[in-house]
Amino acid sequence: MANNPHNQQGVSKASTTQHRRRGKKLEADILDSTLNLIKQTKYEAITMDMIAKHAHTNKSVLYRRWNSKADIVLAALRTQTTDLAAKMKQIPNTGSLEGDLRELFDWISTLLTSMHYTNIIGLMRERLGGISMRDYFDKFARNNFLSQMVRTFFEHASERGEVDLTHFDEALYDLPALVLMDAFYATDDTTIDRSRLDHILSDVLMPVYRPFLTTGNGDAK
Amino acid sequence: MANNPHNQQGVSKASTTQHRRRGKKLEADILDSTLNLIKQTKYEAITMDMIAKHAHTNKSVLYRRWNSKADIVLAALRTQTTDLAAKMKQIPNTGSLEGDLRELFDWISTLLTSMHYTNIIGLMRERLGGISMRDYFDKFARNNFLSQMVRTFFEHASERGEVDLTHFDEALYDLPALVLMDAFYATDDTTIDRSRLDHILSDVLMPVYRPFLTTGNGDAK
DNA sequence: TAAAATTAGAGACTAAAGTTCCTAAAAAAT
DNA sequence: ATTTTTTAGGAACTTTAGTCTCTAATTTTA
């Protein structure tokens, strides 16, 4: 009772207790710290204690909010992608399926090359190498904005009569996500640059989608 | 010197030292044990000590041969797939691309439904949930026999003049592996049955590949 | 067949994820 | 303003992957 280790009587309160953050503010700070760490260090090299220390908090605080290291890192990354998705504001509507897709790819390219995101491929390949398949599929590959957006493009194209979806299987909406994922993971290139994305769109995806276009009559060029 | 814990003088040697296995024999036993374990328990619940104990050996023996838990489990699974790949003996050559693909899918179906492999999807989705993307891509998705075989089918088809590969991108050889992987991981179904595989081949892959067929003249049905 | 080189097996050790329990701030309720 | 509820933060603890070292069995070499 007499000497509680916390009552170092007289020592300026600045160094002892700095106004505890809680709720959203604390959470935002933690994710921000995590993001900073993942920009500098690869996933495997980051420890939960590091994240906690970096955010001036404690491991138990982290586990109260997220279930695993993968969860917290993915959550941190998602703040960024949803941020940028919001910036993209309205869904592309150029009047043609290919135009819409190209705008989406432009945007991905911007996302990847913009200052903040140059490392995102490195991130995915090197730093997120330890993230499990299950996590990846659950949280990124399916039901993500990418596949959603592609689906919307096709719906618009269908309304315009540009495309015939009679024999178009649902699975084909996920193709861009799958092929991009493949490109991110299965290559040794350090960067996925603009030309690489162009290649994927022009030579892989469009050839797949083109046969579903109803260019004038029955068969395309 | 007098009482070395190992010299329990007189105790039948059967219980003390049972002829140490080494080399290939030991390795085969370990992989076999691992396979047995993964059939019963999910990946995350298996420990290296369990594997070692199960194979009546020691953890250090495991790490002498494989670099990680993922490695040893993948190695164990691969013994099975390469086993079956060997049984498949010659590459399908039915005279048509679709026929060849269908035979490959038949074979995958057999693999998945045969006694030994009913659990392989559960394995992939539940028990291998902890395997990293990187490991997966490096060791399964790319440069695997599946993509290789698809490539061969297309080469044969090209030789027959059945298909025109001028604008066919390399990435499309990997499509079956990617789509199957997606099906394995991103669904909540317990089984990938025959009809599911049929659907993937008929409604997803064939529509993608068909436009490259040179059925008679320039454009197909 | 004895000596030398390998390699299995036992077990201690390290590091980091994830858990638990406790104390003390901060916020909400009275 | 005081009590109650919630939640942050500290720290010890458990588990398991992965490392390291030592001893003894097996194989190879001479």
Side-chain angles (χ1 to χ4, degrees), chain A residues 48-73:
Chain A
M48 289 302 260
D49 281 320
M50 276 168 82
I51 296 176
K53 203 151 286 176
H54 207 82
H56 302 289
T57 182
N58 190 278
K59 207 162 58 155
S60 46
V61 174
L62 306 185
Y63 281 105
R64 234 168 251 141
R65 283 152 212 277
W66 299 278
N67 294 319
S68 65
K69 184 175 144 184
D71 267 10
I72 190 170
V73 172

Side-chain angles (χ1 to χ4, degrees), chain A residues 98 102 105-106 109 179-180 182-183 187 189 192-208 210, chain B residues 142 166-174:
Chain A
E98 180 160 0
R102 209 159 284 280
F105 270 62
D106 272 358
S109 173
V179 174
L180 282 174
D182 187 43
T187 330
D189 297 359
I192 301 282
D193 58 16
R194 183 55 196 268
S195 65
R196 188 77 186 287
L197 289 175
D198 276 349
H199 167 249
I200 290 172
L201 179 54
S202 303
D203 303 328
V204 183
L205 296 178
M206 282 316 297
V208 168
R210 199 164 287 125
Chain B
R142 281 208 170 241
T166 319
H167 299 105
F168 189 90
D169 194 272
E170 297 266 310
L172 294 177
Y173 294 130
D174 291 322

Side-chain angles (χ1 to χ4, degrees), chain A residues 64-99:
Chain A
R64 234 168 251 141
R65 283 152 212 277
W66 299 278
N67 294 319
S68 65
K69 184 175 144 184
D71 267 10
I72 190 170
V73 172
L74 287 174
L77 285 172
R78 238 169 312 155
T79 61
Q80 297 306 96
T81 50
T82 48
D83 238 45
L84 266 141
K87 269 182 203 143
M88 207 188 176
K89 280 288 191 342
Q90 73 269 39
I91 287 162
N93 202 337
T94 61
S96 84
L97 178 71
E98 180 160 0

